[in-house]
Amino acid sequence: MSKILLTGGAGYIGSHTAIEMLNAGYEIIVADNFSNSSKESLRRVEKITGKTIPFYQADITDKEQTEKIFEENDIAAVIHFAGLKSVGESVSCPVRYYKNNLLSSLNLLEVMEKHHVKKLVFSSSATVYGNPDHVPFDETMPVGVCTNPYGWTKQMSEQIFQDACVADKDLTVILLRYFNPVGAHESGTIGEAPNGTPNNLMPYISQVAVGTLKQLSVYGSDYPTHDGTGVRDYIHVVDLAKGHLAAIRYAETHTGTEIFNLGTGCGYSVLDMVKAFEKVNGVSVPYRIADRRPGDIASAYADPAKARDILGWQAEKTLEDMCRDTWKWQRQNPNGYNA
């Protein structure tokens, strides 16, 4: 039986998507270099699903390693998660981000073409919209005015994939523009486990709540929002994973490029999230106001109507679910996947 390759499949979103794919009856292969993930996450996915996952410790920027995966397996489609993903880090290390994220996309396309694999779902980002003058963001809005190198790598990869689709009429590429994934699997056994101080809000909040970190830094309190802190569209990672399942099913019967926002359509500020986390979980999250981070914008949330209408997908989990599941994962795994 042909398989679905998940590049970066041991990471936060990849591991949750692996569960949804396996539970839906798909056979998968995972490739990951563990630069920001853990082999333990895959072991836990296998435990949750009761299924064994073929796995390659491989870097998609290495063409020979990528080639080996395709030579040894009958691959029907690829979900491309692999990539560096921190906005702040991309500002300080732009060359590393461009080299890693673009080379992996180019290598993947070349190897897919050689092996006649024609279906690709790409892990893109709402950062491609830059800082538009209105919200919500919908898929018809212009892109290419990104505010940070991470966003540019996603935008450039999108362009590469779209151009490849123009050249190859049999190729299908689904571009999924994520908003802000949070939460964890309801079992509390897999979740977000960043290296060092988290760049994303929810693991930062939960690590402060569990005592690993002293206090939360809230970057900017003078944005034009209801409380001065940045507003984002937070989506439960399990809902996001189900969006990939819907995209793969859509790709099976379509060709060309399609773009979908994966978000809830609701915007919450940083302080909204802090207060919700404290209320839902009965914990305290001390914070301090810090300077704005370079590359951040005031407000970003999705218009998710296209995904609902075409993919038949919409986010189902609530803000309370996001807070509760994040805290369950953090409490059970105060050191992430490190024992």
Side-chain angles (χ1 to χ4, degrees):
M1 181 179 176
S2 57
K3 297 180 173 69
I4 312 293
L5 172 63
L6 277 58
T7 72
Y12 175 44
I13 302 167
S15 58
H16 286 83
T17 301
I19 291 173
E20 299 304 321
M21 299 295 292
L22 290 169
N23 286 344
Y26 286 90
E27 289 198 30
I28 66 170
I29 301 167
V30 166
D32 205 298
N33 68 355
F34 300 125
S35 64
N36 192 30
S37 59
S38 168
K39 194 177 287 187
E40 175 64 17
S41 70
L42 291 180
R43 192 187 70 77
R44 296 187 187 187
V45 169
E46 290 180 329
K47 188 174 181 181
I48 289 166
T49 61
K51 297 179 180 179
T52 301
I53 303 172
F55 165 73
Y56 288 81
Q57 184 162 350
D59 191 325
I60 308 303
T61 64
D62 186 316
K63 199 167 181 182
E64 285 185 14
Q65 292 181 16
T66 307
E67 182 81 52
K68 184 173 189 284
I69 300 167
F70 282 77
E71 285 175 352
E72 294 180 356
N73 298 277
D74 178 15
I75 294 172
V78 180
I79 305 179
H80 182 33
F81 295 107
L84 300 173
K85 64 176 187 175
S86 165
V87 167
E89 186 181 58
S90 78
V91 174
S92 57
C93 308
V95 174
R96 179 173 175 237
Y97 268 68
Y98 285 117
K99 184 175 182 180
N100 184 90
N101 291 4
L102 296 180
L103 186 56
S104 61
S105 294
L106 291 165
N107 279 349
L108 196 56
L109 269 179
E110 288 182 347
V111 176
M112 284 176 62
E113 183 177 24
K114 180 178 177 181
H115 291 270
H116 309 290
V117 178
K118 300 295 185 181
K119 306 292 183 184
L120 174 72
V121 174
F122 177 56
S123 168
S124 192
S125 165
T127 56
V128 301
Y129 293 116
N131 190 8
D133 58 8
H134 69 279
V135 286
F137 299 175
D138 70 67
E139 294 88 347
T140 66
M141 291 169 66
V143 295
V145 192
C146 303
T147 61
N148 55 76
Y150 166 74
W152 278 114
T153 67
K154 292 300 186 182
Q155 164 59 22
M156 290 175 179
S157 289
E158 282 195 7
Q159 190 64 53
I160 290 165
F161 291 132
Q162 290 180 85
D163 290 344
C165 272
V166 171
D168 183 352
K169 301 303 182 187
D170 295 325
L171 185 62
T172 303
V173 175
I174 310 298
L175 305 173
L176 299 180
R177 293 175 178 166
Y178 307 166
F179 281 71
N180 291 64
V182 297
H185 189 264
E186 62 185 11
S187 66
T189 56
I190 68 166
E192 189 169 11
N195 295 328
T197 302
N199 290 294
N200 296 332
L201 178 63
M202 281 295 259
Y204 205 148
I205 288 175
S206 62
Q207 287 189 23
V208 170
V210 85
T212 304
L213 297 173
K214 182 180 177 182
Q215 64 181 359
L216 171 70
S217 293
V218 176
Y219 297 108
S221 61
D222 57 350
Y223 286 108
T225 61
H226 66 273
D227 61 15
T229 65
V231 168
R232 296 291 182 269
D233 186 335
Y234 296 94
I235 176 172
H236 198 294
V237 67
V238 172
D239 280 333
L240 188 64
K242 290 176 179 177
H244 292 77
L245 180 59
I248 280 289
R249 287 173 170 160
Y250 179 84
E252 288 168 351
T253 55
H254 292 79
T255 55
T257 306
E258 281 287 359
I259 301 168
F260 297 102
N261 286 337
L262 294 185
T264 66
C266 298
Y268 294 102
S269 75
V270 174
L271 293 183
D272 288 338
M273 297 300 285
V274 170
K275 291 169 186 172
F277 194 92
E278 290 180 327
K279 181 179 178 182
V280 169
N281 299 311
V283 295
S284 175
V285 182
Y287 66 87
R288 70 178 184 94
I289 302 298
D291 292 338
R292 293 186 184 189
R293 289 185 302 190
D296 278 350
I297 64 175
S299 186
Y301 56 93
D303 178 347
K306 185 180 178 185
R308 181 195 65 220
D309 295 344
I310 296 178
L311 297 180
W313 170 93
Q314 60 185 1
E316 297 174 350
K317 291 185 178 286
T318 65
L319 179 59
E320 288 72 24
D321 294 328
M322 300 177 204
C323 292
R324 190 180 304 109
D325 291 342
T326 298
W327 184 230
K328 184 175 184 181
W329 153 255
Q330 188 69 66
R331 256 192 357 264
Q332 291 181 194
N333 303 273
N335 300 309
Y337 290 111
N338 301 316

